[in-house]
Amino acid sequence: MTVEAQKETLGFQTEVSQLLKLMIHSLYSNKEIFLRELISNASDAIDKLRFEAISESKLYEDDTELKIIIDVDKDARTITISDNGIGMSRDDVVSNIGTIAKSGTKEFMESLTGDQKKDAHIIGQFGVGFYSAFIVADKVTLRTRHAGTGIEHAVQWESSGEGDFSIETIEKASRGTEVTLHLREEDDEFLETFRIRNIIKTYSDHITVPIEMLKDPEPPMPPAEGEEAPEEPAETVIEYETVNSASALWTRPKSEIKDDEYNEFYKHIAHDFEDPLTRMHNQVEGKYEYTSLLFIPQRAPFDLWDRDRKHGIKLYVRRVFIMDETEKLMPNYLRFVRGIIDSNDLPLNVSREILQGSKVLDSIRSGSVKKVLAELQKLANNKPEDYAKFWKEFGRVIKEGPGEDFSNREKIAKLCRFASTDKDTDEQVVSLDDYISRMKKADEDAKADGADVEAKEGDDKAEEKTEEKGGQKAIYYITADSFAAAKSSPHLEIFRKKGIEVLLLSDRVDEFLMSSLPDYDGIPLKSIARGELDLGDLEDEEDKKVQEKAEEEFKDFVTKVKDVMGEEVKEVRLTHRLTGSPACLVTGDHDMSANLERMLKQAGQDVMGHKPIFEINPTHPLVTRLKTEENSDRFSDWVKILFDQALLSEGGQLEDPATFVQRLNKMLLELSN
């Protein structure tokens, strides 16, 4: 059958050209990984064929012996990696080889540093294994045919990696893909079969399909004394042998698997160049039986926050690959987890629709999530330095957990880390348990009362009474759009004065976290910028008397301020949360926080704004001076200046900055006269 000529030359996507240059120069010190990546791709293609053939057996085309073959031709100086997997169509080749068919490509290129060592890690995270062929090859030829199509629909792709590639329609009798690498002169070491075998044993021994190479010919036995030498065979017998274990790694006993084998398996499924941070290998027996082998990476992929990014766990049923990126096996807040789950209870023809309401899957997911959370807690307890690295990479993702996974809310909250006023740095190292251990006890008055009881009722009862008397009743926090804004918030003033620790939350996800985490270990979490401030027993009697006196003295003043502000505020009241600032804005108990409101507006959402509560500090010199101001226009200007200052101090934006500047300049001029 003739093939209509359909050859054309196309240019690489710009990002591919950049990537090829980086690949060659950044990974030159670890060239042998090219073979691991190409074998991994071949294995994936075979897995996909298995899955597709469950419902369409004709895709096998009378060839059910799935395998990968590696041929080395010293004379032609080529290595060919062949598989009889699913293969590719012409469109598949153009989209998967000629371009980087991934969302977030721009962000990936921007994340490159120019440091070859660091860029090597980023390239690995991006998962561009095919292009690693150009580390050792100055030309790559790919021939492929999609399973189930005619032999005349095969495609040949060829490129020297310089900026363009050719693609043409050819004939290919067998389905699948073969990649031929024309080696550079300096890379002749990879033409030695013992070198190739060693790489396969090191990196790809776990691949579940046979990887075959030509069997090395056995030297002829010397003739016995007195016998004639045997005649040479008329034809050379070509015989292949399997050079890998070709067994599912996760089915073997853990005691028989080496760390290096686990690490290479992780790199195969995650397309990562680094070893994982930790792993979990479990065989579950009971109502449902399954094996899970899960890994936590050392680094977050560059597209972790991309909404279109695919992620998930590879699903197998009785060691047969079913589907990739099975989101239902792991919740979104654990989307960084990589690995496989092999079930004995799901049907081989399972589909994504069947998975939607599967009790088996729900049970597997629940058990797997608990294993991951337990492993992370173990890491936090036993290897705090490793956990700190993990939190830096994935902490913001974990913070999504309490809102997504109510049943594990407490466990996830225990894993969370925050910045706080204890250290006053932006390092997120404070756990909620740490915070609770430092919570303020009852103040000196309460201790004195406890001492009186001690004299009457004995030591033990005195301690009970002191605990009953009070102490800190809540875990306090503040949210802001930056750490600097949170650390400098005027709402912190009374807390700093009394030595009460406050969590400083500046990640965008923190608003979502706090709305999903009303309490921890029975202790409520309370925003210091929401509602009336009630420190309970942490306030001494003298402070309360001063507050009551100020309420009486400033009663008329508060009324005048209310008249000036009108409908712009929900309420005006005196504050006792400020010690150095003249005023602040507070959110109502049931209103959306100002920070969340700003975030939603920035995201383009139509948000019904809330009116803030305007709190004024009666001890501040500006306020005491304003209290005596008799000129109504000047009084009004000063009140509005205080309001605008309070809005700015919490990160808000003025609706009319020009008027604010005019008022401020006017006030400064009057004070200078």
Side-chain angles (χ1 to χ4, degrees):
M1 184 181 293
T2 60
V3 180
E4 183 183 351
Q6 293 185 27
K7 183 173 182 178
E8 56 183 328
T9 300
L10 301 172
F12 276 124
Q13 196 180 33
T14 304
E15 289 84 354
V16 174
S17 297
Q18 291 177 270
L19 183 64
L20 290 173
K21 293 177 183 177
L22 286 165
M23 184 75 68
I24 294 167
H25 293 97
S26 297
L27 302 181
Y28 67 90
S29 62
N30 191 21
K31 290 185 175 184
E32 61 191 24
I33 59 94
F34 82 90
L35 189 58
R36 179 189 73 189
E37 294 299 306
L38 295 177
I39 290 175
S40 181
N41 288 348
S43 172
D44 288 345
I46 288 174
D47 281 344
K48 289 174 183 176
L49 175 69
R50 278 175 170 161
F51 173 57
E52 297 287 343
I54 290 171
S55 57
E56 197 174 352
S57 60
K58 66 179 183 180
L59 293 176
Y60 279 125
E61 302 178 2
D62 298 324
D63 177 16
T64 58
E65 189 180 347
L66 302 175
K67 57 189 173 183
I68 299 168
I69 296 177
I70 299 179
D71 287 307
V72 177
D73 187 333
K74 285 189 176 183
D75 294 332
R77 302 186 66 258
T78 62
I79 301 174
T80 301
I81 299 94
S82 308
D83 69 71
N84 56 353
I86 194 69
M88 289 183 282
S89 66
R90 187 185 183 96
D91 288 343
D92 291 335
V93 172
V94 172
S95 62
N96 294 333
I97 308 299
T99 65
I100 299 178
K102 286 196 174 192
S103 57
T105 302
K106 180 181 178 183
E107 289 78 5
F108 161 67
M109 299 308 296
E110 289 175 349
S111 69
L112 297 172
T113 64
D115 182 315
Q116 291 178 350
K117 185 175 181 180
K118 291 181 180 178
D119 286 346
H121 294 310
I122 297 172
I123 290 169
Q125 293 166 10
F126 193 67
V128 284
F130 173 78
Y131 300 109
S132 64
F134 288 99
I135 301 172
V136 297
D138 53 21
K139 184 172 75 170
V140 176
T141 305
L142 177 146
R143 293 163 52 87
T144 185
R145 178 171 68 81
H146 195 281
T149 61
I151 64 172
E152 71 277 12
H153 293 292
V155 178
Q156 177 172 297
W157 177 99
E158 192 168 77
S159 176
S160 60
E162 293 297 327
D164 58 23
F165 59 90
S166 67
I167 185 168
E168 62 180 307
T169 303
I170 61 170
E171 287 189 352
K172 185 174 184 292
S174 59
R175 69 168 188 272
T177 302
E178 62 181 50
V179 181
T180 300
L181 281 63
H182 304 263
L183 296 188
R184 302 176 190 277
E185 290 185 5
E186 64 267 26
D187 293 313
D188 283 355
E189 63 176 292
F190 298 110
L191 293 174
E192 301 297 334
T193 56
F194 75 87
R195 179 80 164 101
I196 297 297
R197 287 169 181 264
N198 184 57
I199 293 172
I200 293 171
K201 292 297 289 184
T202 301
Y203 293 115
S204 304
D205 197 52
H206 59 270
I207 297 293
T208 56
V209 294
I211 302 173
E212 297 185 352
M213 292 185 68
L214 271 177
K215 191 173 183 179
D216 291 333
E218 295 182 4
M221 293 288 292
E225 188 176 349
E227 292 184 359
E228 294 184 6
E231 294 184 8
E232 292 287 334
E235 294 183 3
T236 303
V237 178
I238 299 176
E239 187 176 355
Y240 283 86
E241 64 179 346
T242 301
V243 295
N244 67 321
S245 296
S247 63
L249 180 83
W250 60 89
T251 63
R252 293 160 51 190
K254 288 189 281 187
S255 59
E256 296 180 6
I257 307 174
K258 299 177 182 178
D259 287 344
D260 287 346
E261 292 179 288
Y262 276 122
N263 292 341
E264 291 308 324
F265 181 76
Y266 162 74
K267 292 172 184 175
H268 161 64
I269 60 171
H271 297 286
D272 196 351
F273 285 11
E274 291 185 292
D275 293 341
L277 182 64
T278 187
R279 65 175 181 264
M280 297 135 277
H281 188 183
N282 299 286
Q283 292 182 325
V284 180
E285 297 179 351
K287 184 177 180 181
Y288 302 117
E289 294 184 2
Y290 64 92
T291 299
S292 64
L293 178 51
L294 307 175
F295 300 89
I296 295 175
Q298 289 196 46
R299 300 173 190 264
F302 74 97
D303 56 350
L304 185 64
W305 300 96
D306 187 343
R307 289 177 177 270
D308 298 325
R309 176 180 178 270
K310 293 182 179 181
H311 58 84
I313 306 298
K314 290 178 179 286
L315 176 64
Y316 289 75
V317 174
R318 295 186 287 281
R319 286 161 297 288
V320 175
F321 173 78
I322 299 299
M323 64 182 69
D324 211 346
E325 298 165 344
T326 316
E327 299 91 340
K328 296 298 178 183
L329 286 168
M330 199 63 64
N332 200 46
Y333 72 93
L334 295 178
R335 58 184 175 272
F336 52 84
V337 177
R338 293 290 178 269
I340 66 94
I341 289 177
D342 188 351
S343 169
N344 287 340
D345 301 295
L346 288 167
L348 282 173
N349 62 348
V350 66
S351 66
R352 293 187 184 273
E353 290 71 30
I354 292 174
L355 291 177
Q356 292 291 335
S358 169
K359 291 183 178 179
V360 176
L361 195 71
D362 289 344
S363 177
I364 293 174
R365 172 187 168 115
S366 176
S368 299
V369 169
K370 288 178 180 176
K371 290 290 184 185
V372 172
L373 296 180
E375 181 66 21
L376 289 175
Q377 190 58 59
K378 179 181 174 183
L379 194 68
N381 294 340
N382 301 333
K383 297 181 178 179
E385 290 184 1
D386 284 351
Y387 189 76
K389 293 178 184 176
F390 162 80
W391 185 258
K392 187 175 181 180
E393 297 290 325
F394 302 107
R396 288 184 296 160
V397 183
I398 291 292
K399 286 180 178 180
E400 298 174 5
E404 294 181 16
D405 188 355
F406 182 82
S407 62
N408 289 304
R409 187 178 67 179
E410 197 86 357
K411 293 178 182 177
I412 301 167
K414 192 178 184 69
L415 292 169
C416 288
R417 298 293 184 267
F418 307 94
S420 85
T421 55
D422 179 62
K423 295 186 182 298
D424 252 2
T425 69
D426 61 356
E427 287 187 285
Q428 296 186 10
V429 295
V430 177
S431 70
L432 293 178
D433 288 331
D434 293 336
Y435 183 100
I436 291 172
S437 71
R438 293 191 291 265
M439 283 175 64
K440 292 282 287 184
K441 307 304 181 197
D443 65 12
E444 294 305 319
D445 289 339
K447 291 178 182 177
D449 290 342
D452 292 339
V453 175
E454 180 181 0
K456 297 177 182 178
E457 301 184 20
D459 294 345
D460 294 337
K461 290 185 178 179
E463 290 181 12
E464 294 174 7
K465 291 291 183 182
T466 302
E467 287 297 320
E468 290 174 11
K469 189 69 182 177
Q472 189 174 337
K473 297 291 196 305
I475 298 170
Y476 294 106
Y477 68 89
I478 185 168
T479 57
D481 59 3
S482 69
F483 174 77
K487 180 182 176 180
S488 304
S489 172
H491 294 91
L492 289 170
E493 291 174 1
I494 189 64
F495 292 88
R496 291 191 183 279
K497 178 182 176 182
K498 291 185 172 292
I500 302 171
E501 186 175 357
V502 178
L503 301 177
L504 305 174
L505 311 183
S506 55
D507 289 337
R508 295 178 72 86
V509 70
D510 285 330
E511 288 284 359
F512 177 64
L513 170 65
M514 289 300 134
S515 66
S516 310
L517 195 64
D519 60 76
Y520 174 75
D521 198 21
I523 302 172
L525 278 80
K526 182 170 178 56
S527 169
I528 64 172
R530 186 188 296 275
E532 287 204 52
L533 180 63
D534 180 10
L535 296 178
D537 296 312
L538 297 179
E539 292 183 306
D540 55 42
E541 292 301 321
E542 187 62 32
D543 287 341
K544 292 178 181 178
K545 289 177 181 178
V546 171
Q547 293 164 21
E548 291 172 1
K549 183 179 179 182
E551 292 285 351
E552 186 61 33
E553 289 182 1
F554 281 77
K555 187 174 182 181
D556 293 338
F557 172 77
V558 169
T559 301
K560 286 179 66 178
V561 174
K562 284 181 182 178
D563 292 338
V564 170
M565 297 307 303
E567 295 299 314
E568 289 186 54
V569 298
K570 178 184 289 186
E571 182 184 352
V572 177
R573 65 192 183 205
L574 296 185
T575 186
H576 59 283
R577 71 179 86 218
L578 301 178
T579 61
S581 300
C584 68
L585 301 183
V586 178
T587 304
D589 281 315
H590 305 292
D591 291 334
M592 182 186 299
S593 75
N595 186 51
L596 179 57
E597 183 180 314
R598 287 192 294 271
M599 284 170 48
L600 294 176
K601 286 181 178 178
Q602 289 169 4
Q605 296 194 29
D606 188 13
V607 180
M608 184 179 294
H610 72 278
K611 294 178 181 179
I613 297 167
F614 190 23
E615 289 195 353
I616 299 174
N617 179 7
T619 65
H620 195 278
L622 277 177
V623 176
T624 55
R625 168 63 182 83
L626 182 59
K627 183 174 180 289
T628 63
E629 180 57 57
E630 295 182 357
N631 184 301
S632 60
D633 290 340
R634 189 179 296 126
F635 182 89
S636 176
D637 283 345
W638 284 25
V639 166
K640 290 184 177 179
I641 287 173
L642 289 181
F643 178 84
D644 288 345
Q645 284 180 337
L647 180 61
L648 289 171
S649 70
E650 68 165 25
Q653 292 186 338
L654 301 179
E655 290 188 10
D656 189 358
T659 300
F660 168 73
V661 172
Q662 290 171 6
R663 286 181 181 138
L664 189 60
N665 290 341
K666 181 180 177 182
M667 183 186 75
L668 292 173
L669 283 171
E670 290 173 347
L671 291 174
S672 64
N673 293 331

